[in-house]
């Protein structure tokens, strides 16, 4: 296999997931289809970090286009028995100070939970998407991996804020990422339906985390809320459709991988894409192309757009009574390697915890192996809640 | 015969629709005007070019459309090597303009053509085939287009041509598009029905024709094919997409694969909806140039000839210069002469065309005024104009440096004339003997002695006077 190695500088402090461009450094998004592609420019976040004196120490493997559970299906990475994702591992080992990654379908959040570090998927539109290998423009978002909430704040302060090169970038120049606002009296809910989707030890862990918050004066209540399943289905439909569309540019004509054998343009397309994409991406392409097809559009894609609006309203309704939602991130405490033919189903099922944040653009913070979600721009509340728990842990 | 048209017009913007590359008209070599965005590289995001919206709205206003204040973009999916992202960004659900109408005057009377919609979209690149190899040129990729879709309101090929010519002159004078060869492409929907019938016949669509001549020939051929099929049962008509072959003058059915594709349209999440608020719309309205018809009427009233009006309407830049010169206080007819005779002549001498004219209206107005108030004569005026066009000279400075001022004092002229009379005693003699032509020679000699700068009317008068006295 023609894997490319990650160069780590010992001075380095920030690792960059391979779905994010660094000028002149091969960007593969974990996929053979981009083999040999060297971008002409860096992502806005990378430029901002470099301008502040941070050193980009290397690129970290991701599962192909970030579609998998936790980085297990990279064309370039080593196969591993226990999943965890390269960036999260480097952060947890202390090799790098922090890392940046793209949250398309929950993978970085799951990686962070498996490694016991933090990952913030911020509010949609707060960090420029310029320079990420885009799959689903309407919900993917760059975020930060770090060892604790202070690390998250430090990097977010650098990378967040308006960028005119991204039409979806919000106009504000900066946002509040305070980690120490008073949390006593804040209200957090645990969604019963999501707990039921997780295994016993995960459930107990989430409840223990809630107990920890309670000890610090936070009101923690269990609620019933049925919108997470619906949100997951809608996001899987939108995400696969948009991904199918965005990866159609990888056709062997312009850059990246091209099949060695072909007799005409159709064969060039078919052979390149057959050899260049892995089984999971192909499944996503098929699914995504189906939900966009003429006779399925209204029932699938069109309906999901409507569901997105309804879910957003219902979530807002829920948040009238609470400051944050506390949920599991993964159904298990660890994932073992598995056959890629099971991946589409597996990812679909596990994304029930993560899809909400992608679908409606709200912030989601993974810390202490749980997830805290809140309404848009509520990052400082989430960081402060997690900060309390982290400080107790020390 | 019932015809509907879809016309693609390339907009005259400095940059492409979603990136800052220059349009392909600026390109010298293939792939000159290409960046990571318009070549489909990952990481780049489309950023809306505001000017495209403004030109599309201006076109909509000219065609009396409703301007939709909320307009969105969609992606149209298909694979072709000249389409770098494998999708085209276009507008399906919320086009920028709808419900327009334009009235045509033809030999057989007036007809209203209703405009269903105008939408914005990006162009594709170009494939170049050399031998067995194919090359891709992305210069045209993402060049902004508007597509104007009419209702099936045309009843003859003639009406279609009148409409297209009207669009062309409207868009040129409006600065919307230069409408050069290939910058206006048409799809024609056509059906035929027996006279008196209200039901439409089977409709066929002829795709992608770039010349008016081809469009006319294609319509005539296709209509006849339909008539033959209906009247003489030569073939069974089916609803299909066809292409026109320029060489044979016939239309041919296109393969199903090309026509029955499911484009899987869906909203483009990279582009936020464009909201046109009142202030912006007013700004666009204020900047909208006067409609061609109104403009032509103005020129006609000023006494400009029909031929010159045609020239002006078709050379948008020239008519814009004229309007500015007039606003600076010059007479329209006179100024039109300067532009269409003098400027055109000077350009021609330099191997250029009227369309290449680059002159600052203030400079031209200054020259015209210098001539009008007798500061320089007509000939010097043209000399200054030549210098301005050829070398970008400043008219006032040039006049001074070259001593072209006609306001020479009378005593100087008289002494020059005395000299001329002495040196041309024979001509003076001839004149006295009734040879009227001799006066012209004396006039020429005087002008020459005054380096051709003097006011010719003054010289004529003084010369007449002097001859009568001797
Ligand atoms: Zn470009």
């Amino acid at each position: 296999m023609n894997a490319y190695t990650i160069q780590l500088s010992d001075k380095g402090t920030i690792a960059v997931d391979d779905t994010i461009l660094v000028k002149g450094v091969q960007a593969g998004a974990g996929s053979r289809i981009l083999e040999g592609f060297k971008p002409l420019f860096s992502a806005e976040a990378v430029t901002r970090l470099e301008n502040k004196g941070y050193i980009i120490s290397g690129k970290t493997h991701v599962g192909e286009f970030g579609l998998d559970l936790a980085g297990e299906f990279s064309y370039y990475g080593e196969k591993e028995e226990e999943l965890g994702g390269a960036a999260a591992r480097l952060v947890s080992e202390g090799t790098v100070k922090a890392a940046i990654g793209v949250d398309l379908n929950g993978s970085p959040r799951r990686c962070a939970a498996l490694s016991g570090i933090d990952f913030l998927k911020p509010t949609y539109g707060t960090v420029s998407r310029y320079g990420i290998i885009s799959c689903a423009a309407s919900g993917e978002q760059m975020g930060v991996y770090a060892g604790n909430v202070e690390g998250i704040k430090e990097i977010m302060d650098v990378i967040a804020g308006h960028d005119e090169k991204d039409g979806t970038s919000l106009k504000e120049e900066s946002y509040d990422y305070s980690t120490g606002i008073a949390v006593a009296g804040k209200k957090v809910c645990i969604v019963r339906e999501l707990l039921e989707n997780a295994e016993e030890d995960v459930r107990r862990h989430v409840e223990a985390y809630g107990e920890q918050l309670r000890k610090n004066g936070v009101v923690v209540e269990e609620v019933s809320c049925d919108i997470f399943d619906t949100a997951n289905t809608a996001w899987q439909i939108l995400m696969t459709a948009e991904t199918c569309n965005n990866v159609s540019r990888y056709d062997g004509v312009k850059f990246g991988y091209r099949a060695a054998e072909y007799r005409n343009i159709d064969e060039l397309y078919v052979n390149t894409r057959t050899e260049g994409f892995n089984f999971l991406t192909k499944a996503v392409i098929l699914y995504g192309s189906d939900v966009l097809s003429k006779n399925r559009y209204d029932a699938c894609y069109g309906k999901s757009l409507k569901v997105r609006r309804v879910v957003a309203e219902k979530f807002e309704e829920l948040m009238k009574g609470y400051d944050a939602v506390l949920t599991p991130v993964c159904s298990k405490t660890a994932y073992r390697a598995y056959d890629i033919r099971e991946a589409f189903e597996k990812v679909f099922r596990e994304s029930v915890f993560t899809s909400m944040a992608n679908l409606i653009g709200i912030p989601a913070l993974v810390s202490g192996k749980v997830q805290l979600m809140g309404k848009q721009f509520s990052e400082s509340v989430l960081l402060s809640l997690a900060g309390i728990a982290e400080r107790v842990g020390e | 015969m019932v015809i509907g048209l879809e016309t693609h017009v390339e907009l005259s913007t400095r940059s492409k629709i979603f990136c800052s590359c220059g349009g392909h008209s600026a390109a010298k070599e293939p792939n000159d005007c290409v960046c990571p965005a318009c070549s489909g590289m990952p990481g780049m995001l489309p950023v809306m070019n505001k000017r495209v919206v403004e030109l599309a709205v201006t076109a909509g206003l000219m065609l009396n459309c409703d301007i939709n204040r909320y307009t969105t973009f969609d992606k149209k999916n298909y694979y072709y090597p000249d389409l770098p992202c494998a999708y085209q960004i276009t507008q399906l659900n919320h086009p920028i303009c709808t419900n327009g109408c334009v009235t045509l005057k033809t030999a057989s009377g007036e007809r209203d053509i209703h405009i269903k919609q105008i939408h914005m979209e990006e162009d594709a690149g170009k494939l170049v085939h050399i031998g067995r190899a194919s090359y891709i040129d992305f210069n045209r990729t993402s060049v902004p287009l508007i597509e104007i879709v009419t209702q099936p309101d045309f009843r003859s090929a003639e009406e279609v041509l009148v409409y297209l010519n009207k669009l062309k002159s409207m868009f040129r004078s409006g600065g919307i598009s230069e409408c050069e060869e290939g910058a206006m492409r048409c799809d024609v929907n056509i059906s035929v029905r027996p006279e008196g019938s209200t039901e439409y016949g089977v409709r066929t669509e002829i795709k992608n024709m770039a010349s008016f001549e081809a469009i006319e020939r294609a319509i005539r051929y296709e209509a006849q094919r339909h008539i033959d099929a209906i009247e003489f049962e030569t073939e069974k008509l089916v609803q299909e997409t066809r292409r026109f072959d320029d060489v044979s003058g016939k239309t041919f059915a296109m393969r199903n694969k090309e026509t029955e594709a499911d484009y899987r349209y869906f909203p483009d999440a990279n582009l936020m909806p464009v909201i046109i608020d009142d202030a912006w719309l007013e700004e666009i309205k204020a900047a909208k140039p006067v409609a061609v018809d109104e403009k032509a009427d103005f020129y006609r009233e000023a006494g400009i000839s029909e031929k010159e009006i045609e020239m002006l309407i078709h050379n948008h830049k020239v008519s814009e210069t004229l309007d500015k010169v007039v606003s600076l206080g010059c007479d329209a007819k006179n100024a039109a002469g300067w532009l269409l005779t003098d400027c055109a002549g000077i350009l021609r001498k330099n191997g250029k065309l009227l369309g290449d004219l680059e002159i600052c209206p203030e400079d031209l107005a200054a020259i015209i005024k210098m001539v009008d108030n007798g500061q320089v004569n007509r000939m010097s005026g043209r000399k200054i104009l030549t210098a301005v066009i050829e070398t970008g000279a400043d008219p006032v400075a040039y006049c001074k440096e070259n001593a072209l001022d006609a306001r020479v004092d009378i005593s100087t002229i008289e002494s020059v004339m005395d000299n001329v009379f002495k040196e041309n005693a024979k001509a003076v003699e001839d004149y006295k003997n009734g040879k009227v032509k001799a006066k012209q020679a004396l006039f020429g000699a005087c002008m020459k002695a005054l380096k051709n700068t003097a006011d010719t009317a003054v010289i004529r008068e003084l010369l007449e006077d002097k001859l009568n006295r001797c």
Side-chain angles (χ1 to χ4, degrees), chain A residues 118-348:
Chain A
D118 291 5
F119 181 86
L120 173 68
K121 185 216 88 80
T123 302
Y124 182 77
T126 54
V127 178
S128 172
R129 286 170 41 254
Y130 177 82
I132 70 180
I133 297 178
S134 175
C135 282
S138 78
E140 69 193 358
Q141 181 63 59
M142 192 189 293
V144 177
Y145 304 88
N148 55 38
V149 290
E150 271 71 35
I152 301 270
K153 173 182 165 47
E154 180 184 333
I155 303 302
M156 284 304 296
D157 279 338
V158 177
I159 65 173
H162 179 64
D163 175 19
E164 60 177 16
K165 297 185 291 305
D166 173 3
T168 62
S169 167
L170 299 169
K171 297 287 173 249
E172 280 75 16
E173 291 304 324
S174 62
Y175 301 89
D176 181 13
Y177 298 110
S178 314
T179 59
I181 62 173
V183 297
K186 294 270 182 223
K187 290 183 79 182
V188 171
C189 64
I190 299 175
V191 176
R192 190 173 308 131
E193 285 79 357
L194 286 181
L195 275 191
E196 283 163 5
N197 269 307
E199 289 182 354
E200 179 63 28
D201 42 356
V202 173
R203 265 201 310 256
R204 275 203 307 271
H205 176 72
V206 172
E207 278 158 359
Y209 193 96
E211 198 50 46
Q212 192 71 256
L213 290 178
R214 248 181 228 127
K215 281 183 188 151
N216 284 282
V218 179
V219 179
V220 182
E221 294 171 357
E222 206 175 286
V223 296
S224 169
C225 180
D226 62 358
I227 56 176
F228 288 83
D229 245 338
T230 319
N232 187 31
T233 308
W235 176 241
Q236 298 311 306
I237 288 173
L238 298 177
M239 185 276 293
T240 53
E242 291 186 47
T243 301
C244 159
N245 161 265
N246 273 314
V247 302
S248 32
R249 73 186 65 192
Y250 308 121
D251 53 11
V253 173
K254 301 168 292 278
F255 45 73
Y257 179 73
R258 179 186 289 182
E261 309 261 325
Y262 55 88
R263 282 169 303 181
N264 52 43
I265 186 71
D266 288 342
E267 279 189 20
L268 169 66
Y269 286 154
V270 171
N271 295 354
T272 299
R273 291 166 66 82
T274 304
E275 296 161 22
F277 291 129
N278 71 16
F279 188 91
L280 174 57
T281 307
K282 285 175 195 161
V284 165
I285 291 172
L286 283 178
Y287 193 85
S289 133
D290 182 52
V291 296
L292 281 179
S293 63
K294 226 182 254 166
N295 32 14
R296 302 260 287 151
Y297 183 93
D298 287 341
C300 298
Y301 194 88
K303 190 159 183 191
S304 297
L305 287 178
K306 286 181 196 134
V307 166
R308 171 181 259 164
R309 278 198 299 275
V310 173
V311 166
E313 278 163 25
K314 289 201 169 171
F315 186 82
E316 208 164 291
E317 195 64 33
L318 177 68
M319 294 316 286
K320 277 183 185 152
Y322 297 97
D323 299 289
V325 185
L326 173 60
T327 77
V329 194
C330 310
S331 66
K332 308 172 190 311
T333 50
Y335 298 125
R336 313 288 302 168
Y338 63 97
D339 190 301
I340 194 166
R341 279 165 293 187
E342 299 164 28
F344 189 82
E345 290 275 333
K346 251 193 204 324
V347 175
F348 197 125

Side-chain angles (χ1 to χ4, degrees), chain B residues 157-158 160-161 164 209 211-222 244:
Chain B
E158 190 210 350
V160 169
L161 289 185
L164 289 173
M209 290 173 287
S211 84
F212 290 6
E213 191 220 337
I215 293 164
E216 184 179 12
R217 286 168 66 206
I219 292 173
R220 294 198 198 285
Y221 173 85
E222 188 65 8
F244 178 67

Side-chain angles (χ1 to χ4, degrees), chain A residues 50-71:
Chain A
E50 285 179 333
N51 287 347
K52 285 274 175 193
Y54 290 91
I55 293 163
I56 304 301
S57 57
K59 299 285 292 282
T60 37
H61 291 309
V62 294
E64 189 162 306
F65 294 109
L67 290 164
D68 61 5
L69 277 182

Side-chain angles (χ1 to χ4, degrees), chain A residues 21 34 37 40-41 124 129-133 137-138 164-168 242 244-246 248-250 253-255 265-266 269 273 289 292-294 297 301 305, chain B residues 36 39-47 75-77 79-87 93 136 138 257 260-272:
Chain A
L21 306 184
L34 273 159
F37 174 71
L40 301 169
F41 58 95
Y124 182 77
R129 286 170 41 254
Y130 177 82
I132 70 180
I133 297 178
S138 78
E164 60 177 16
K165 297 185 291 305
D166 173 3
T168 62
E242 291 186 47
C244 159
N245 161 265
N246 273 314
S248 32
R249 73 186 65 192
Y250 308 121
V253 173
K254 301 168 292 278
F255 45 73
I265 186 71
D266 288 342
Y269 286 154
R273 291 166 66 82
S289 133
L292 281 179
S293 63
K294 226 182 254 166
Y297 183 93
Y301 194 88
L305 287 178
Chain B
S39 57
M41 289 194 191
M44 288 298 281
L45 299 166
V47 177
K75 289 173 166 185
K76 174 182 179 180
N77 291 282
Y79 284 95
Y80 204 66
D82 69 3
L83 194 66
C85 286
Y87 60 79
N93 291 316
I136 311 172
F138 286 138
K257 197 181 153 197
E260 279 173 19
D262 178 353
Y263 291 118
R264 293 177 286 120
Y265 285 97
F266 76 108
D268 188 346
N270 278 322
L271 291 159
M272 295 280 111

Side-chain angles (χ1 to χ4, degrees), chain B residues 16 18-22 33-39 44 138 141-142:
Chain B
K16 293 184 175 182
F18 302 120
C19 63
S20 53
C21 289
C33 297
V34 174
C35 71
C38 57
S39 57
M44 288 298 281
F138 286 138
T141 309
S142 270

